Amino acid sequence: MALCLICAYSTETARTACARCEHRLRGWLGEIPRQVVLLTALLEPGSRPAEGRGGAGRAYSPLPARGDIVSLLGPAAPGPVRDAASAPDQTGATPIHAVLHAWADQLADDLGHDLPPINSRAPYADYLTRHLDHVVRAPWVALMNAELYDLVRCARAITHTEPRRRPMTAPCPSCNAFGLGLTDWAAYVDCEVCGLLLTPAEYDAHHTTVMPGLARTALGLLVAEHLPRKAS
């Protein structure tokens, strides 16, 4: 066994990131294109027709573009912005495109092929997701994790879209704790206690298996609690 470079939990020897951290990375790479859409919409300056006779013109000047959004949506450098083995070359907010381009370029270099054509919303998010099995075995996975987390954190603060977590009713099949939950945009039900990951289908099958027995046990305890006690 080895240690995950991100969370320091045990993982398979060939991996540098555990399954739970891989799941989180996959979720962020799926969320970032959605955040780009929301950020782009918020970048549009606000306007409102003037009130009063005629109803034409503006009541006030349009709002200037927000600098924090412009920083995240700005263009990327034409090449990599960092050496994956060293600290970032620039400080402050890094554009989403620059971060994704840099890690996609590093990934393509590892794999020995050219980068694919970019898409329109979040270039290279899909490319990184398709090759996540390599990313979680790369020595630079922790650096990528930190930069993606920073992007997601900044975007959520602007768009006010912190994912909600829905608790699951069945206990975890691994540790028996009631720590299972499903977070928005996540592909797996995860346990906050032991880190187990279940697909929705696996959770449904587990729920079907264990919940009838738990319900009978709970009903039996409830009935026993309300039965009249015999006098000693």
Side-chain angles (χ1 to χ4, degrees), residues 18-189:
C18 64
R20 186 178 177 87
C21 289
E22 178 184 1
H23 166 57
R24 186 167 54 247
L25 282 169
R26 190 181 302 277
W28 289 344
L29 288 170
E31 177 183 348
I32 286 172
R34 299 181 177 94
Q35 292 288 359
V36 169
V37 172
L38 296 175
L39 290 167
T40 302
L42 290 173
L43 191 59
E44 295 296 325
S47 62
R48 181 178 61 188
E51 297 178 358
R53 289 179 296 178
R58 295 183 184 274
Y60 50 84
S61 300
L63 296 175
R66 288 183 54 175
D68 52 354
I69 301 179
V70 172
S71 294
L72 285 175
L73 296 181
V81 297
R82 73 185 54 73
D83 177 350
S86 63
D89 295 332
Q90 63 185 73
T91 58
T94 305
I96 290 172
H97 178 77
V99 172
L100 295 180
H101 178 270
W103 291 116
D105 187 81
Q106 177 66 52
L107 174 60
D109 186 65
D110 281 12
L111 297 176
H113 58 61
D114 295 329
L115 286 175
I118 64 173
N119 57 50
S120 58
R121 292 194 298 177
Y124 305 121
D126 291 341
Y127 174 68
L128 289 165
T129 300
R130 287 199 307 272
H131 297 285
L132 201 57
D133 59 334
H134 177 83
V135 173
V136 297
R137 289 167 171 78
W140 40 263
V141 65
L143 289 173
M144 176 177 147
N145 178 84
E147 293 197 3
L148 290 185
Y149 171 70
D150 191 54
L151 286 184
V152 170
R153 178 182 57 81
C154 290
R156 288 174 181 175
I158 295 170
T159 60
H160 303 290
T161 52
E162 188 71 25
R164 296 169 299 176
R165 182 174 177 82
R166 179 164 58 92
M168 301 286 103
T169 54
C172 174
S174 176
C175 67
N176 294 319
F178 285 89
L180 293 175
L182 181 62
T183 304
D184 289 345
W185 304 321
Y188 294 89
V189 175

